[in-house]
Amino acid sequence: MPIIDLQTAKEFKNSSKACLCLDLGEKKIGVAKSDAGWFLASPLKVLDAKKFSIIANEIFEIIKENQIILLVIGLPLNADGTTNTKTQSAQQFGRNLTKINDINVCFEDERFSTVVSHKSLDGLNLTEGMKKKFIDKLAAAQILQGFLDKIK
């Protein structure tokens, strides 16, 4: 399946299947999942960023287990909305996934998702080590919730 835009993604909303979101990082990949009605994003897990083929297999296993119809990938833009090398890497990651499996991929602006996720943990009595375990999947949920809100 192809890389799709927001308008095309809206067509999948009534499928009764969830969508999955990835927050790509150099060391970790945060994963979040929507409910079947595409109202709420929930943190799911954190994957170790490894060789692409290993990561892809893990992602496609999650997609299969959760009956995912759409994969949303966080797009790291500069603060002013322009692209950079990380933006291009995320786009290439999505294109590479579509080459090896039949999945629709859409990109969503991820600016400030990690900052917002950090702030949501600040009020909790967690050590930095505990925060590190949650931050990537919380950021993925933040990205996905932004996407879901746009789809409404």
Side-chain angles (χ1 to χ4, degrees):
M1 291 287 174
I3 303 293
I4 61 173
D5 61 15
L6 185 68
Q7 195 62 36
T8 305
K10 287 180 180 182
E11 297 173 15
F12 297 105
K13 185 178 180 203
N14 297 324
S15 68
S16 298
K17 292 186 177 184
C19 53
L20 194 74
C21 182
L22 304 177
D23 178 28
L24 303 174
E26 292 178 21
K27 296 180 182 178
K28 301 286 183 186
I29 298 173
V31 183
K33 178 186 158 194
S34 76
D35 61 324
W38 291 30
F39 294 108
L40 184 64
S42 300
L44 188 60
K45 61 174 39 182
V46 177
L47 303 174
D48 289 324
K50 305 171 191 160
K51 184 177 174 184
F52 176 77
S53 61
I54 295 170
I55 296 168
N57 285 337
E58 290 177 10
I59 292 167
F60 290 127
E61 186 62 33
I62 294 167
I63 288 170
K64 182 180 175 183
E65 288 172 2
N66 292 279
Q67 299 182 340
I68 302 298
I69 193 166
L70 176 67
L71 178 62
V72 178
I73 297 176
L75 198 59
L77 300 168
N78 294 321
D80 65 0
T82 57
T83 62
N84 56 54
T85 56
K86 289 184 179 181
T87 309
Q88 294 165 355
S89 293
Q91 291 170 323
Q92 188 60 53
F93 187 91
R95 284 191 294 272
N96 289 344
L97 288 176
T98 64
K99 290 177 184 176
I100 59 174
N101 203 322
D102 192 27
I103 185 70
N104 292 293
V105 173
C106 188
F107 296 101
E108 175 63 21
D109 183 354
E110 72 165 39
R111 286 178 288 174
F112 312 114
S113 61
T114 302
V115 173
V116 171
S117 297
H118 272 289
K119 287 186 186 269
S120 71
L121 293 176
D122 282 346
L124 303 176
N125 195 16
L126 299 174
T127 65
E128 285 303 312
M130 290 296 290
K131 288 180 183 179
K132 284 183 179 183
K133 290 182 179 181
F134 294 107
I135 200 69
D136 296 304
K137 61 184 173 182
L138 286 177
Q142 181 73 30
I143 296 163
L144 184 54
Q145 191 63 54
F147 173 82
L148 297 174
D149 292 345
K150 286 181 186 176
I151 292 288
K152 290 178 187 176

